[in-house]
């Protein structure tokens, strides 16, 4: 810092969160390198690591293979280091290898491409790791962390679902919960009453959300089912998770339909999933979520499509070939059930602002009686519910 009267320059230190290959934030320190193994401390690398010591006991048996610092490293740290570094290094090396081949790579058949991948992997394992030691490897990890951090910041800034994003259409929000909010879609509106349950936190799938987020989603579903039941309608709740590396904010879509069509919806959607695009599927095409629920039936890191009915379960489908699976596939199926032209509905442009505001007002009038968020702090029913609980607790027990 400079003296009095002079311009002083302050150094700003920013903590950069680390993410794994799927873009999920890692716990601080979970993937940090141990001291003495090229770790960055106070902005600078530590001393060069020592060579492994081959310790031999008095009886001639080898006692240890590594230096003391590595002996103190736990298995979790080693796994995180391997997951953060090795896969990224190999993917970058393979991409460079393909770019060098150019048109030659496109002329190869599938088997020859796999053979080339094996050759590239062997060359990578024999040479790449030997070159990256100490400071070079730490510099690489630092650049990767900065690049991932900047990428996630850009994704959050451009997200249409995050409340802090400038692109978020706040006038379409119906009610705000603690962990989720209810909103209307800006386009691709399948039918009147079509709405979205959106986690407030930026998560790419509800299978990766915390339990309290999942619980609040079920709470919204419960009261939406009650509301549409008054109109003799049933609710189909769908979620489509694809291109997980792009980190799209997930939503649960609620699409109401008349009771007579709703009763046939499970059969219709089950048939559509079984006839889906993957001809050579490794995973089971149809996953029944009616017993264990969606979040216990589908693995966390898998892209999927799910359709659940009312307050119960339904069916899910693990998407193996994301390039062949349309993001609007579920809406196309439901448009077919409702007799709506899918091409027109899905390609329709966004409605004018006054039309969207009228849709919001109509939905709020219908939702007002069933809006459980009014009982939360700041809601018009909060004081009433609080007084009711106080009176119940002070009442004499019989």
């Amino acid at each position: 810092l400079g003296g009095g009267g002079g311009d002083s320059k302050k150094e700003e230190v920013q903590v950069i969160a680390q993410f794994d290959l799927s873009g999920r934030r890692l716990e601080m320190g979970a993937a940090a390198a141990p001291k003495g193994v090229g770790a960055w401390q106070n902005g600078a690398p530590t001393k060069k690591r020592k060579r492994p010591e081959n310790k031999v006991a008095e009886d001639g048996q080898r006692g240890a293979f590594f230096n003391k610092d590595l002996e103190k490293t736990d298995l979790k740290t080693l796994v995180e280091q391997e997951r953060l570094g090795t896969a990224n290094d190999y993917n970058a090396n393979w991409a460079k290898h393909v770019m060098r081949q150019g048109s030659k790579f496109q002329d190869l058949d599938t088997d020859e491409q796999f053979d080339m991948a094996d050759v590239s992997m062997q060359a990578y394992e024999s040479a790449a790791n030997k070159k990256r030691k100490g400071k070079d490897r730490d510099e690489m990890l630092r650049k990767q962390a900065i690049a991932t951090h900047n990428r996630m910041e850009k994704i959050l800034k451009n997200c249409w679902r995050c409340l802090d994003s400038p692109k978020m259409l706040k006038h379409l929000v119906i009610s705000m919960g603690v962990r989720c909010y209810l909103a209307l879609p800006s386009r691709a509106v399948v039918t009147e009453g079509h709405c979205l349950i959106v986690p407030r936190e930026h998560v790419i799938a509800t299978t990766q959300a915390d339990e309290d987020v999942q619980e609040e989603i079920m709470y919204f579903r419960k009261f939406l089912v009650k509301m549409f039941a008054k109109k003799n309608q049933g609710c189909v709740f769908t979620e489509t998770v694809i291109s997980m590396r792009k980190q799209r904010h997930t939503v649960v879509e609620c699409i109401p339909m008349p009771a007579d069509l709703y009763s046939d919806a499970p059969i219709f959607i089950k048939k559509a999933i079984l006839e889906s695009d993957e001809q050579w599927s490794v995973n089971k095409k149809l996953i029944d979520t009616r017993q264990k629920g969606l979040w216990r039936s589908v693995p966390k890191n898998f892209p999927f499509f799910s359709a659940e009915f009312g307050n119960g379960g339904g069916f899910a489908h693990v998407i193996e070939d994301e390039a062949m699976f349309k993001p609007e596939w579920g809406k196309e199926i439901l448009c077919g059930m409702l007799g709506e032209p899918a091409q027109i509905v899905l390609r329709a442009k966004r409605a004018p602002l006054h039309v969207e505001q009228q849709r919001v007002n109509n939905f709020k009038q219908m939702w007002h009686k069933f809006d459980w968020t009014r009982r939360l702090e700041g809601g018009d029913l909060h004081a009433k519910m609080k007084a009711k609980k106080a009176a119940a607790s002070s009442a004499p027990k019989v």
Side-chain angles (χ1 to χ4, degrees):
L1 296 179
D7 294 336
S8 60
K9 295 182 179 180
K10 294 184 179 180
E11 186 177 292
E12 183 180 354
V13 178
Q14 184 175 3
V15 178
I16 298 178
Q18 287 186 310
F19 301 86
D20 64 9
L21 297 178
S22 298
R24 294 183 300 276
R25 187 185 296 268
L26 296 174
E27 295 180 3
M28 294 300 296
K35 295 181 179 180
V37 192
W40 281 75
Q41 299 175 7
N42 298 327
T46 59
K47 296 180 181 180
K48 293 182 178 180
R49 56 181 178 181
K50 298 179 181 180
R51 291 184 177 180
E53 300 176 5
N54 295 331
K55 299 179 181 180
V56 181
E58 295 179 358
D59 57 358
Q61 298 295 325
R62 192 181 300 275
F65 293 87
F66 307 105
N67 57 40
K68 295 180 179 179
D69 294 321
L70 284 175
E71 290 174 5
K72 297 177 182 178
T73 306
D74 60 358
L75 179 61
K76 181 179 178 181
T77 303
L78 292 174
V79 170
E80 292 292 347
Q81 288 175 353
E82 184 71 13
R83 186 173 62 167
L84 283 171
T86 305
N88 284 332
D89 295 347
Y90 174 65
N91 289 336
N93 180 74
W94 171 241
K96 291 179 182 178
H97 189 69
V98 172
M99 291 178 66
R100 289 195 198 100
Q101 295 295 324
S103 59
K104 295 180 181 179
F105 182 83
Q106 297 179 356
D107 296 335
L108 300 176
D109 58 26
T110 305
D111 293 336
E112 290 174 334
Q113 290 180 4
F114 276 111
D115 292 339
M116 184 181 291
D118 293 336
V119 173
S120 178
M121 183 64 181
Q122 293 172 6
Y124 165 75
E125 290 178 342
S126 61
N129 278 335
K130 294 180 181 179
K131 294 180 180 179
R132 293 197 179 104
K133 293 184 179 179
K135 182 178 179 180
D136 292 339
R137 181 170 180 79
D138 290 333
E139 180 67 16
M140 178 197 67
L141 292 176
R142 187 178 70 86
K143 288 181 178 179
Q144 286 180 357
I146 293 174
T148 306
H149 174 80
N150 292 337
R151 175 173 169 267
M152 290 302 300
E153 288 293 321
K154 184 178 179 180
I155 289 173
L156 295 178
K157 184 178 180 181
N158 295 325
C159 180
W160 290 83
R161 307 298 181 193
C162 288
L163 295 173
D164 296 332
S165 171
K167 292 191 175 183
M168 198 270 175
L169 303 176
K170 295 181 174 60
H171 68 281
L172 294 177
V173 176
I174 301 297
S175 60
M176 190 72 62
V178 178
R179 302 291 184 182
C180 306
Y181 65 87
L182 184 68
L184 299 186
S186 59
R187 56 176 301 276
V189 182
V190 175
T191 185
E192 183 182 357
H194 181 180
C195 56
L196 312 173
I197 305 173
V198 189
R200 296 180 63 167
E201 181 186 4
H202 188 96
V203 292
I204 60 177
T206 57
T207 53
Q208 297 184 7
D210 295 334
E211 289 185 3
D212 50 356
V213 176
Q214 297 173 350
E215 183 180 353
E216 192 162 308
I217 289 174
M218 294 302 298
Y219 218 58
F220 270 112
R221 284 178 53 173
K222 174 183 175 181
F223 285 94
L224 284 171
V225 169
K226 287 184 177 181
M227 179 183 74
F228 286 112
K230 293 289 185 180
K231 300 180 64 177
N232 197 28
Q233 291 180 317
C235 297
V236 179
F237 297 93
T238 66
E239 182 180 6
T240 304
V241 178
I242 59 174
S243 303
M244 300 182 78
R245 285 183 176 273
K246 294 183 179 180
Q247 298 290 303
R248 293 191 178 99
H249 198 140
T250 192
V251 298
V252 177
E253 304 197 47
C254 172
I255 300 176
M257 59 180 59
D260 55 341
L261 291 177
Y262 175 74
S263 60
D264 296 331
I267 300 174
F268 203 93
I269 292 177
K270 180 179 179 179
K271 184 175 182 293
I273 291 177
L274 291 174
E275 296 175 353
S276 59
D277 56 342
E278 289 87 4
Q279 183 178 2
W280 304 103
S281 295
V282 176
N283 296 294
K284 189 178 179 181
K285 278 192 176 182
L286 187 71
I287 301 175
D288 194 328
T289 65
R290 288 175 291 185
Q291 293 185 358
K292 296 194 298 182
L294 172 66
W295 304 309
R296 294 183 180 179
S297 302
V298 178
K300 286 186 177 182
N301 302 329
F302 279 54
F304 67 91
F305 166 80
S306 69
E308 297 189 297
F309 312 101
N311 291 319
F315 305 107
H317 169 60
V318 173
I319 302 171
E320 295 188 13
D321 190 352
E322 297 182 71
M324 296 291 294
F325 195 92
K326 299 179 182 179
E328 308 291 348
W329 181 81
K331 292 181 183 177
E332 289 183 358
I333 301 300
L334 294 173
C335 282
M337 287 189 62
L338 294 168
E340 299 286 345
Q343 297 299 324
I344 297 177
V345 170
L346 300 180
R347 293 182 181 180
K349 295 183 179 180
R350 184 182 160 192
L353 181 61
H354 70 277
V355 175
E356 291 183 338
Q357 290 176 337
Q358 184 61 45
R359 285 176 51 219
V360 170
N361 292 335
N362 294 340
F363 196 98
K364 283 185 175 179
Q365 292 177 4
M366 183 171 56
W367 173 248
H368 182 77
K369 182 180 177 182
F370 302 91
D371 187 3
W372 64 271
T373 63
R374 296 167 58 199
R375 306 173 187 176
L376 300 176
E377 186 174 357
D380 58 334
L381 294 180
H382 176 68
K384 183 178 179 181
M385 296 298 297
K386 190 175 180 180
K388 187 177 180 180
K389 288 183 179 180
S393 60
S394 61
K397 296 181 180 180
V398 180

